[in-house]
Amino acid sequence: MASSPHYTKSGVVAAIVATAVVAMCIGWAAGGGSLVAAQGWQTLIAALIALLAATLAYRVGMAKINFDRNVAQETETRRRRRIAMHLDVAMVQLIDDASALPKSQRFVGDPPPIKDLRIDMPAELNEAWDNLEVFGEKVTLQIANLRYTFRELAILQKGEIPGRVRSQSWKKPSEHAQDNIGDVIQFARTIRKSLADDGMIPINP
C-alpha cells in the first residue's frame, strides 16, 4: 500500500520560519548586534528564504505526485488481478460443466440430443473481452477462440450448421457440438495455464 507523502504544508511553513530565524540571527551576528547593520543582510535573508521555500515546495509537489502515481499503480494492479481471478474461476467451472455433459445416448451409443449439450458462456468471459488490455497475447487469443466457439454452439443449438464446418455436413449438429465442447475445454485449460505463466494468478500445486 502506498505511504502518505512525507512532506506536509505545516512542515514547509515551519521550515521556512526556522530558516528565516537562522538567517536573521546570522545577519544580526554579522552586524555586530546592530539592527541597522543587520538590515544590510535583508537581501540575502530574503533570497535564502525564497530558495528554501521553492525547494520545499518542489519536494512537496514531487512527493504528492509520486504518492498519487503509486496509488494509481496499486489500483490498476488490483483491477488486473481481480479480472484475471474472475476469469480463472470461471474457466474452472466451465471445464467442470463441459466435462459433465453426456458423451452418448445411454444404451444406443449415438450422440446425445443437441438439447442435452447446452452450455452457457460465462459472464466473466465478457468481462475479460471488455478488458483485453489486461492480458497477454496468448490469453487474448484463447478468449477470442472461446467466444467464437460459443457462437458456433449457439448456432448448433438452433439445429443449424455453422459455415466453418459445413464441409462436414454429414455430421449431425450434436456431433459438431461435441467437437466444439472439446474445444471449449481445451481453450479454458490453455487460458488457465497462460494466466499462471504470466503471473496473473497463483500457480496451482
Side-chain angles (χ1 to χ4, degrees):
M1 183 176 180
S3 58
S4 300
H6 179 71
Y7 298 99
T8 62
K9 291 181 180 179
S10 58
V12 172
V13 172
I16 292 174
V17 171
T19 301
V21 171
V22 171
M24 289 176 64
C25 290
I26 292 174
W28 181 271
S34 169
L35 182 61
V36 174
Q39 288 178 349
W41 290 76
Q42 284 182 347
T43 302
L44 176 61
I45 293 172
L48 287 174
I49 293 175
L51 177 61
L52 178 64
T55 300
L56 290 178
Y58 171 78
R59 299 191 68 173
V60 169
M62 289 305 300
K64 181 64 167 60
I65 290 172
N66 291 334
F67 174 75
D68 291 343
R69 182 186 296 118
N70 290 337
V71 169
Q73 289 175 345
E74 290 179 4
T75 301
E76 177 63 11
T77 298
R78 287 194 296 270
R79 184 184 76 89
R80 289 172 175 264
R81 177 59 60 88
R82 182 180 67 253
I83 294 172
M85 291 297 292
H86 287 178
L87 181 59
D88 182 58
V89 171
M91 293 303 97
V92 173
Q93 186 66 58
L94 181 59
I95 292 169
D96 290 343
D97 291 346
S99 299
L101 291 173
K103 305 297 187 295
S104 62
Q105 296 188 54
R106 188 175 296 179
F107 308 125
V108 178
D110 290 338
I114 189 67
K115 65 181 180 62
D116 293 340
L117 296 175
R118 182 177 182 82
I119 186 168
D120 295 325
M121 185 174 71
E124 291 82 358
L125 200 58
N126 286 329
E127 179 186 37
W129 183 254
D130 291 337
N131 295 277
L132 288 179
E133 74 281 356
V134 168
F135 306 104
E137 182 178 349
K138 191 170 185 179
V139 175
T140 298
L141 177 61
Q142 298 309 312
I143 289 172
N145 287 337
L146 196 49
R147 283 174 58 88
Y148 184 84
T149 302
F150 273 107
R151 283 176 176 268
E152 288 196 337
L153 283 170
I155 294 172
L156 290 166
Q157 283 293 331
K158 299 176 183 178
E160 302 172 4
I161 304 295
R164 183 179 67 87
V165 293
R166 280 179 188 158
S167 61
Q168 302 173 343
S169 57
W170 51 269
K171 281 188 174 183
K172 300 177 181 178
S174 56
E175 292 177 297
H176 287 301
Q178 285 185 312
D179 292 341
N180 281 8
I181 289 168
D183 291 340
V184 164
I185 294 172
Q186 184 58 46
F187 292 147
R189 285 174 175 164
T190 302
I191 287 174
R192 293 202 70 216
K193 183 179 184 304
S194 298
L195 288 173
D197 291 344
D198 293 344
M200 300 192 71
I201 60 171
I203 299 177
N204 293 325

